[in-house]
Amino acid sequence: MYATQAMAFAAPLAKELDENKVTPGVLGFIVFAVMAGGVWMLMKSMNRHMSMVNFEETPAQTPAASAQSSKPPAESEPTSAASRGE
């Protein structure tokens, strides 16, 4: 069947339809229901993955602790024999 023949059959049907009473129909409902189900499944999956995330932050350092950490380490063991006095 050619497209022109299909249009010839569909044209009289289109004239009978009232433009104020056209609804999405069953296909529109099915598409909406599938999309709603997909969103529901995505939200369920997101909640499961978000429950595995650890949101605890490391404690902030106090100014005294950060000052101590910026100083070089005190008297560590020498690494060479010359620095040990040998």
Side-chain angles (χ1 to χ4, degrees):
M1 182 189 274
Y2 294 107
T4 54
Q5 290 174 338
M7 289 301 292
F9 289 122
L13 294 175
K15 299 284 183 190
E16 296 174 9
L17 292 176
D18 185 11
E19 293 180 8
N20 297 326
K21 293 183 181 178
V22 175
T23 63
V26 176
L27 180 62
F29 175 75
I30 291 171
V31 169
F32 181 79
V34 168
M35 289 176 63
V39 169
W40 180 75
M41 290 188 331
L42 284 173
M43 293 296 290
K44 190 173 179 179
S45 174
M46 184 187 72
N47 283 335
R48 187 174 343 162
H49 283 89
M50 292 298 283
S51 67
M52 290 188 273
V53 175
N54 183 8
F55 285 107
E56 293 181 22
E57 294 183 12
T58 57
Q61 291 184 347
T62 61
S66 63
Q68 288 177 354
S69 64
S70 64
K71 291 182 183 177
E75 296 294 326
S76 62
E77 291 186 25
T79 57
S80 67
S83 62
R84 282 186 271 173
E86 294 178 7

Coordinates of all heavy atoms in Angstrom, one line a residue:
M1 N 0.8 -1.2 0.0 CA 0.0 0.0 0.0 C 0.9 1.2 0.0 O 1.9 1.3 0.8 CB -0.9 0.0 1.2 CG -1.8 1.2 1.3 SD -2.7 1.3 2.8 CE -4.1 0.3 2.6
Y2 N 0.6 2.2 -0.8 CA 1.3 3.4 -0.9 C 0.9 4.4 0.1 O -0.3 4.3 0.6 CB 1.2 4.0 -2.3 CG 1.8 3.1 -3.4 CD1 1.0 2.4 -4.3 CD2 3.2 3.0 -3.5 CE1 1.6 1.6 -5.3 CE2 3.7 2.2 -4.5 CZ 2.9 1.5 -5.4 OH 3.5 0.7 -6.3
A3 N 1.7 5.4 0.4 CA 1.4 6.4 1.4 C 0.2 7.2 0.9 O -0.6 7.7 1.7 CB 2.6 7.3 1.6
T4 N 0.1 7.5 -0.4 CA -1.1 8.3 -0.9 C -2.4 7.5 -0.7 O -3.4 8.1 -0.4 CB -0.9 8.6 -2.4 OG1 -0.7 7.4 -3.1 CG2 0.3 9.6 -2.6
Q5 N -2.4 6.2 -0.9 CA -3.6 5.4 -0.6 C -3.9 5.4 0.8 O -5.1 5.4 1.2 CB -3.4 4.0 -1.1 CG -3.3 3.9 -2.6 CD -2.9 2.4 -3.1 OE1 -2.4 1.7 -2.3 NE2 -3.3 2.1 -4.3
A6 N -2.9 5.3 1.7 CA -3.2 5.3 3.2 C -3.8 6.7 3.6 O -4.7 6.7 4.4 CB -1.9 5.1 3.9
M7 N -3.3 7.7 3.0 CA -3.9 9.1 3.3 C -5.3 9.2 2.8 O -6.1 9.8 3.4 CB -3.0 10.2 2.7 CG -1.7 10.3 3.4 SD -1.8 10.7 5.1 CE -2.5 12.3 5.1
A8 N -5.6 8.5 1.6 CA -6.9 8.6 1.1 C -7.9 7.9 2.0 O -9.1 8.3 2.2 CB -7.0 8.0 -0.3
F9 N -7.5 6.8 2.7 CA -8.3 6.1 3.6 C -8.4 6.8 5.0 O -9.5 6.8 5.6 CB -7.8 4.7 3.9 CG -8.0 3.7 2.7 CD1 -6.9 3.1 2.1 CD2 -9.3 3.5 2.2 CE1 -7.1 2.3 1.0 CE2 -9.4 2.7 1.1 CZ -8.4 2.0 0.5
A10 N -7.3 7.5 5.4 CA -7.3 8.1 6.7 C -8.0 9.5 6.7 O -8.5 9.9 7.7 CB -5.9 8.3 7.2
A11 N -8.1 10.1 5.5 CA -8.6 11.5 5.4 C -10.1 11.5 5.8 O -10.5 12.4 6.6 CB -8.5 12.0 4.0
P12 N -10.9 10.6 5.4 CA -12.3 10.6 5.8 C -12.5 10.3 7.4 O -13.3 10.9 8.0 CB -13.0 9.5 5.0 CG -12.2 9.3 3.9 CD -10.8 9.6 4.3
L13 N -11.6 9.5 7.9 CA -11.6 9.2 9.3 C -11.3 10.5 10.1 O -11.8 10.7 11.2 CB -10.7 8.1 9.7 CG -11.1 6.7 9.1 CD1 -10.0 5.7 9.4 CD2 -12.4 6.2 9.7
A14 N -10.3 11.2 9.6 CA -9.9 12.4 10.3 C -11.0 13.5 10.4 O -11.1 14.3 11.3 CB -8.6 13.0 9.7
K15 N -11.8 13.5 9.4 CA -12.9 14.5 9.3 C -13.9 14.2 10.4 O -14.6 15.0 10.9 CB -13.6 14.5 7.9 CG -12.6 14.9 6.8 CD -12.4 16.3 6.8 CE -11.5 16.7 5.6 NZ -11.0 18.0 5.6
E16 N -14.1 12.9 10.7 CA -15.1 12.5 11.7 C -14.7 12.8 13.1 O -15.5 12.8 14.0 CB -15.4 11.0 11.6 CG -16.0 10.6 10.2 CD -16.2 9.1 10.1 OE1 -16.0 8.4 11.0 OE2 -16.5 8.7 9.0
L17 N -13.4 12.9 13.4 CA -12.9 13.1 14.7 C -13.2 14.6 15.2 O -13.0 15.5 14.4 CB -11.4 12.8 14.8 CG -11.0 11.4 14.7 CD1 -9.4 11.3 14.7 CD2 -11.5 10.5 15.8
D18 N -13.7 14.7 16.4 CA -13.9 16.0 16.9 C -12.6 16.5 17.6 O -12.0 15.7 18.5 CB -15.0 16.0 18.0 CG -15.3 17.3 18.5 OD1 -14.8 18.3 18.0 OD2 -16.1 17.4 19.5
E19 N -12.0 17.6 17.2 CA -10.7 18.1 17.7 C -10.8 18.3 19.2 O -9.8 18.3 19.9 CB -10.3 19.3 17.0 CG -10.0 19.1 15.6 CD -9.5 20.4 14.8 OE1 -9.4 21.4 15.5 OE2 -9.4 20.3 13.6
N20 N -11.9 18.6 19.8 CA -12.1 18.8 21.3 C -12.1 17.5 22.1 O -12.0 17.6 23.3 CB -13.3 19.7 21.5 CG -13.2 21.0 20.9 OD1 -12.1 21.6 20.8 ND2 -14.3 21.6 20.4
K21 N -12.3 16.4 21.4 CA -12.5 15.2 22.2 C -11.3 14.2 22.0 O -11.4 13.1 22.4 CB -13.8 14.5 21.8 CG -15.0 15.2 22.2 CD -16.3 14.4 21.8 CE -17.5 15.2 22.2 NZ -18.7 14.5 21.8
V22 N -10.3 14.6 21.3 CA -9.1 13.7 21.0 C -8.3 13.6 22.3 O -8.0 14.6 23.0 CB -8.3 14.3 19.9 CG1 -7.0 13.4 19.7 CG2 -9.0 14.4 18.6
T23 N -8.0 12.4 22.7 CA -7.3 12.1 23.9 C -6.0 11.3 23.6 O -6.0 10.7 22.5 CB -8.1 11.3 24.9 OG1 -8.5 10.1 24.4 CG2 -9.4 12.1 25.3
P24 N -5.1 11.2 24.5 CA -3.9 10.3 24.2 C -4.2 8.9 24.0 O -3.5 8.2 23.3 CB -3.0 10.5 25.4 CG -3.5 11.7 26.1 CD -4.9 11.9 25.7
G25 N -5.2 8.4 24.7 CA -5.7 7.0 24.5 C -4.8 6.0 25.3 O -4.1 6.4 26.2
V26 N -5.0 4.8 24.9 CA -4.3 3.7 25.6 C -2.8 3.7 25.4 O -2.0 3.5 26.3 CB -4.9 2.3 25.1 CG1 -4.1 1.2 25.8 CG2 -6.4 2.2 25.4
L27 N -2.4 4.1 24.2 CA -0.9 4.1 23.9 C -0.3 5.2 24.8 O 0.8 5.0 25.3 CB -0.7 4.4 22.4 CG 0.8 4.5 22.0 CD1 1.5 3.2 22.3 CD2 0.9 4.9 20.6
G28 N -0.9 6.3 24.9 CA -0.4 7.4 25.7 C -0.3 7.0 27.2 O 0.7 7.3 27.9
F29 N -1.3 6.2 27.7 CA -1.3 5.7 29.1 C -0.1 4.7 29.2 O 0.6 4.7 30.2 CB -2.6 5.1 29.4 CG -2.6 4.5 30.8 CD1 -2.6 5.2 31.9 CD2 -2.5 3.1 30.9 CE1 -2.6 4.6 33.2 CE2 -2.4 2.5 32.1 CZ -2.5 3.3 33.3
I30 N 0.0 3.8 28.3 CA 1.1 2.8 28.4 C 2.5 3.5 28.4 O 3.3 3.1 29.2 CB 1.0 1.8 27.2 CG1 -0.3 1.0 27.4 CG2 2.2 0.9 27.2 CD1 -0.7 0.1 26.3
V31 N 2.7 4.4 27.5 CA 4.0 5.1 27.5 C 4.2 5.8 28.8 O 5.3 5.8 29.4 CB 4.0 6.1 26.3 CG1 5.2 7.0 26.4 CG2 4.1 5.4 25.0
F32 N 3.2 6.5 29.4 CA 3.3 7.2 30.6 C 3.6 6.2 31.8 O 4.5 6.5 32.6 CB 2.1 8.0 30.9 CG 2.2 8.8 32.2 CD1 2.9 10.0 32.3 CD2 1.5 8.3 33.3 CE1 3.0 10.6 33.5 CE2 1.6 9.0 34.5 CZ 2.3 10.1 34.6
A33 N 2.9 5.1 31.8 CA 3.1 4.1 32.8 C 4.5 3.5 32.8 O 5.1 3.3 33.8 CB 2.1 3.0 32.7
V34 N 5.0 3.2 31.6 CA 6.4 2.7 31.4 C 7.4 3.7 31.9 O 8.4 3.4 32.6 CB 6.7 2.3 30.0 CG1 8.1 2.0 29.8 CG2 5.8 1.1 29.6
M35 N 7.2 5.0 31.6 CA 8.1 6.0 32.0 C 8.1 6.2 33.6 O 9.1 6.3 34.2 CB 7.8 7.3 31.3 CG 8.2 7.3 29.9 SD 7.8 8.8 29.0 CE 8.7 10.0 29.9
A36 N 6.9 6.1 34.1 CA 6.7 6.2 35.6 C 7.4 5.0 36.3 O 8.1 5.2 37.3 CB 5.3 6.3 36.0
G37 N 7.2 3.9 35.7 CA 7.9 2.7 36.3 C 9.4 2.8 36.2 O 10.1 2.4 37.1
G38 N 9.9 3.3 35.1 CA 11.4 3.5 35.0 C 11.9 4.5 36.0 O 13.0 4.3 36.6
V39 N 11.2 5.6 36.2 CA 11.6 6.6 37.2 C 11.6 6.0 38.6 O 12.5 6.2 39.4 CB 10.7 7.9 37.1 CG1 11.0 8.8 38.3 CG2 11.0 8.6 35.8
W40 N 10.6 5.2 38.9 CA 10.5 4.6 40.2 C 11.7 3.6 40.4 O 12.3 3.6 41.5 CB 9.2 3.8 40.3 CG 9.0 3.1 41.6 CD1 8.7 3.6 42.8 CD2 9.2 1.7 41.8 NE1 8.7 2.7 43.8 CE2 9.0 1.5 43.2 CE3 9.5 0.6 41.0 CZ2 9.0 0.2 43.8 CZ3 9.6 -0.6 41.6 CH2 9.3 -0.8 42.9
M41 N 12.0 2.8 39.4 CA 13.2 1.9 39.5 C 14.5 2.7 39.7 O 15.4 2.3 40.4 CB 13.2 1.0 38.3 CG 12.1 0.0 38.3 SD 12.2 -1.4 37.1 CE 13.0 -0.7 35.7
L42 N 14.6 3.8 38.9 CA 15.9 4.6 39.1 C 16.0 5.2 40.5 O 17.1 5.3 41.1 CB 15.9 5.7 38.0 CG 16.2 5.3 36.6 CD1 16.0 6.4 35.6 CD2 17.6 4.8 36.6
M43 N 14.9 5.7 41.0 CA 14.9 6.3 42.4 C 15.2 5.2 43.4 O 16.0 5.4 44.4 CB 13.5 6.9 42.7 CG 13.2 8.1 41.9 SD 14.4 9.5 42.1 CE 13.9 10.0 43.8
K44 N 14.7 4.0 43.2 CA 15.0 2.9 44.2 C 16.5 2.6 44.1 O 17.1 2.4 45.1 CB 14.1 1.7 43.8 CG 14.1 0.6 44.8 CD 13.1 -0.5 44.4 CE 13.2 -1.6 45.4 NZ 12.2 -2.7 45.1
S45 N 17.0 2.5 42.9 CA 18.4 2.2 42.7 C 19.3 3.3 43.3 O 20.3 3.0 44.0 CB 18.8 2.0 41.3 OG 20.1 1.9 41.1
M46 N 18.9 4.6 43.1 CA 19.7 5.7 43.7 C 19.7 5.6 45.2 O 20.7 5.9 45.8 CB 19.1 7.0 43.2 CG 19.9 8.2 43.6 SD 19.1 9.8 43.3 CE 17.8 9.8 44.4
N47 N 18.5 5.4 45.8 CA 18.5 5.3 47.3 C 19.4 4.2 47.8 O 20.1 4.3 48.8 CB 17.1 5.0 47.7 CG 16.2 6.3 47.7 OD1 16.7 7.4 47.8 ND2 14.9 6.1 47.5
R48 N 19.4 3.1 47.1 CA 20.3 2.0 47.5 C 21.8 2.4 47.4 O 22.6 2.1 48.3 CB 20.1 0.7 46.6 CG 20.8 -0.5 47.1 CD 20.4 -1.7 46.3 NE 19.2 -1.3 45.6 CZ 18.6 -1.9 44.6 NH1 19.1 -2.9 44.1 NH2 17.5 -1.5 44.0
H49 N 22.2 3.1 46.3 CA 23.5 3.5 46.1 C 23.9 4.6 47.1 O 25.0 4.7 47.6 CB 23.8 3.9 44.7 CG 23.9 2.8 43.8 ND1 22.9 2.2 43.1 CD2 25.0 2.0 43.4 CE1 23.3 1.2 42.4 NE2 24.6 1.1 42.5
M50 N 23.0 5.5 47.4 CA 23.3 6.6 48.3 C 23.4 6.1 49.7 O 24.1 6.7 50.5 CB 22.2 7.7 48.2 CG 22.1 8.4 46.9 SD 23.6 9.3 46.6 CE 23.4 10.7 47.7
S51 N 22.8 5.0 50.1 CA 22.9 4.5 51.4 C 24.3 3.9 51.6 O 24.8 3.7 52.8 CB 21.9 3.4 51.7 OG 22.1 2.3 50.9
M52 N 25.0 3.6 50.6 CA 26.4 3.0 50.7 C 27.4 4.1 50.8 O 28.6 3.8 51.1 CB 26.7 2.1 49.5 CG 25.9 0.8 49.5 SD 26.5 -0.2 48.2 CE 25.5 0.3 46.8
V53 N 27.1 5.4 50.6 CA 28.0 6.5 50.6 C 28.3 6.9 52.0 O 27.3 7.1 52.8 CB 27.5 7.6 49.7 CG1 28.5 8.8 49.8 CG2 27.4 7.2 48.3
N54 N 29.5 7.1 52.4 CA 29.9 7.6 53.7 C 30.1 9.1 53.7 O 31.0 9.6 53.0 CB 31.2 6.9 54.2 CG 31.5 7.3 55.6 OD1 30.8 7.9 56.3 ND2 32.7 6.8 56.0
F55 N 29.2 9.8 54.3 CA 29.3 11.3 54.3 C 30.1 11.9 55.4 O 30.1 13.1 55.6 CB 27.9 11.9 54.3 CG 27.1 11.7 53.0 CD1 26.1 10.8 52.9 CD2 27.5 12.5 51.9 CE1 25.5 10.7 51.7 CE2 26.9 12.3 50.7 CZ 25.8 11.4 50.6
E56 N 30.7 11.1 56.3 CA 31.4 11.6 57.4 C 32.7 12.3 56.9 O 33.5 11.8 56.2 CB 31.8 10.5 58.4 CG 30.6 9.9 59.1 CD 31.1 8.8 60.1 OE1 32.2 8.8 60.5 OE2 30.2 8.0 60.4
E57 N 32.9 13.6 57.4 CA 34.0 14.3 57.0 C 35.1 14.1 58.0 O 34.9 13.8 59.2 CB 33.7 15.8 56.9 CG 32.7 16.1 55.8 CD 32.5 17.6 55.7 OE1 33.2 18.4 56.3 OE2 31.5 18.0 55.0
T58 N 36.4 14.3 57.6 CA 37.5 14.2 58.5 C 37.4 15.4 59.5 O 37.0 16.5 59.0 CB 38.8 14.2 57.8 OG1 38.9 15.3 57.0 CG2 38.9 12.9 57.0
P59 N 37.7 15.3 60.7 CA 37.6 16.4 61.6 C 38.6 17.5 61.2 O 39.7 17.2 60.8 CB 38.0 15.8 63.0 CG 38.7 14.5 62.7 CD 38.2 14.0 61.4
A60 N 38.2 18.7 61.4 CA 39.0 19.9 61.0 C 40.2 20.0 62.1 O 40.0 19.7 63.3 CB 38.2 21.1 61.0
Q61 N 41.4 20.3 61.6 CA 42.5 20.4 62.5 C 42.4 21.7 63.2 O 42.0 22.8 62.7 CB 43.8 20.4 61.7 CG 44.1 19.0 61.2 CD 45.5 19.0 60.5 OE1 46.1 20.0 60.2 NE2 45.9 17.8 60.2
T62 N 42.8 21.7 64.5 CA 42.9 22.9 65.3 C 44.1 23.7 64.9 O 45.1 23.1 64.4 CB 42.9 22.6 66.8 OG1 44.1 21.9 67.1 CG2 41.6 21.9 67.2
P63 N 44.2 25.0 65.1 CA 45.4 25.8 64.8 C 46.7 25.2 65.4 O 47.7 25.2 64.8 CB 45.1 27.2 65.2 CG 43.6 27.3 65.3 CD 43.1 25.9 65.6
A64 N 46.6 24.7 66.6 CA 47.8 24.2 67.3 C 48.2 22.9 66.6 O 49.4 22.7 66.5 CB 47.4 23.9 68.8
A65 N 47.3 22.1 66.2 CA 47.6 20.8 65.6 C 48.2 21.1 64.2 O 49.2 20.4 63.8 CB 46.4 19.9 65.5
S66 N 47.7 22.0 63.5 CA 48.2 22.3 62.2 C 49.6 23.0 62.3 O 50.4 22.8 61.4 CB 47.3 23.2 61.4 OG 47.1 24.5 62.0
A67 N 49.9 23.7 63.3 CA 51.2 24.3 63.5 C 52.2 23.3 63.8 O 53.4 23.3 63.3 CB 51.2 25.4 64.6
Q68 N 51.9 22.3 64.6 CA 52.8 21.2 64.9 C 53.1 20.3 63.7 O 54.2 19.9 63.5 CB 52.2 20.3 66.0 CG 52.2 21.0 67.3 CD 51.6 20.1 68.4 OE1 51.0 19.0 68.1 NE2 51.6 20.5 69.6
S69 N 52.1 20.1 62.8 CA 52.3 19.3 61.7 C 53.1 20.0 60.6 O 53.7 19.3 59.8 CB 50.9 18.9 61.1 OG 50.2 20.0 60.6
S70 N 53.2 21.3 60.6 CA 54.0 22.0 59.6 C 55.4 22.1 60.0 O 56.3 22.4 59.1 CB 53.4 23.4 59.4 OG 53.5 24.2 60.6
K71 N 55.8 21.9 61.3 CA 57.2 21.9 61.7 C 57.9 20.6 61.2 O 57.3 19.6 61.0 CB 57.3 21.9 63.2 CG 56.8 23.2 63.8 CD 57.0 23.2 65.3 CE 56.4 24.5 65.9 NZ 56.5 24.4 67.4
P72 N 59.2 20.7 60.9 CA 59.9 19.5 60.5 C 60.0 18.6 61.7 O 60.0 18.9 62.8 CB 61.3 20.1 60.1 CG 61.4 21.4 60.8 CD 60.0 21.9 60.9
P73 N 60.2 17.3 61.4 CA 60.2 16.3 62.4 C 61.4 16.5 63.3 O 62.5 16.9 62.8 CB 60.3 15.0 61.7 CG 60.6 15.3 60.3 CD 60.2 16.7 60.1
A74 N 61.3 16.3 64.6 CA 62.4 16.5 65.5 C 63.4 15.3 65.4 O 63.0 14.2 65.3 CB 61.8 16.6 67.0
E75 N 64.7 15.6 65.5 CA 65.8 14.7 65.6 C 65.5 13.3 65.1 O 65.2 12.4 65.9 CB 66.3 14.7 67.1 CG 66.9 16.0 67.6 CD 68.2 16.3 66.8 OE1 69.0 15.5 66.4 OE2 68.4 17.5 66.6
S76 N 65.4 13.1 63.9 CA 65.2 11.8 63.4 C 66.6 11.1 63.2 O 67.6 11.8 63.2 CB 64.5 11.8 62.0 OG 65.3 12.5 61.1
E77 N 66.6 9.8 63.0 CA 67.9 9.1 62.9 C 68.6 9.5 61.6 O 67.9 9.6 60.5 CB 67.7 7.6 62.9 CG 67.2 7.1 64.2 CD 67.2 5.6 64.2 OE1 67.9 4.9 63.3 OE2 66.4 5.0 65.0
P78 N 69.9 9.7 61.6 CA 70.6 10.1 60.4 C 70.5 8.9 59.4 O 70.5 7.7 59.8 CB 72.0 10.4 60.8 CG 72.1 10.1 62.3 CD 70.7 9.7 62.7
T79 N 70.6 9.2 58.1 CA 70.5 8.2 57.1 C 71.8 7.7 56.6 O 71.9 6.7 56.0 CB 69.6 8.7 55.9 OG1 70.2 9.9 55.4 CG2 68.2 8.9 56.4
S80 N 72.9 8.5 56.7 CA 74.2 8.1 56.2 C 75.2 7.9 57.3 O 75.0 8.4 58.4 CB 74.7 9.2 55.2 OG 75.0 10.3 55.9
A81 N 76.2 7.1 57.0 CA 77.2 6.8 58.0 C 78.0 8.1 58.4 O 78.4 8.2 59.5 CB 78.2 5.8 57.5
A82 N 78.2 9.0 57.4 CA 79.0 10.2 57.7 C 78.2 11.1 58.7 O 78.8 11.7 59.6 CB 79.2 11.0 56.4
S83 N 76.9 11.2 58.6 CA 76.2 12.0 59.5 C 76.1 11.4 60.9 O 75.8 12.1 61.9 CB 74.8 12.3 58.9 OG 74.1 11.1 58.8
R84 N 76.3 10.1 61.0 CA 76.3 9.4 62.3 C 77.7 9.6 63.0 O 77.8 9.2 64.1 CB 76.0 8.0 62.2 CG 74.5 7.7 61.9 CD 74.2 6.2 61.9 NE 74.4 5.8 60.5 CZ 74.4 4.5 60.1 NH1 74.2 3.6 61.0 NH2 74.5 4.2 58.9
G85 N 78.6 10.1 62.3 CA 80.0 10.3 62.9 C 80.9 9.1 62.8 O 81.8 8.9 63.4
E86 N 80.6 8.3 61.8 CA 81.4 7.1 61.6 C 82.5 7.3 60.6 O 82.4 8.1 59.7 CB 80.6 5.9 61.2 CG 79.7 5.4 62.3 CD 78.8 4.3 61.9 OE1 79.0 3.7 60.8 OE2 77.9 3.9 62.7

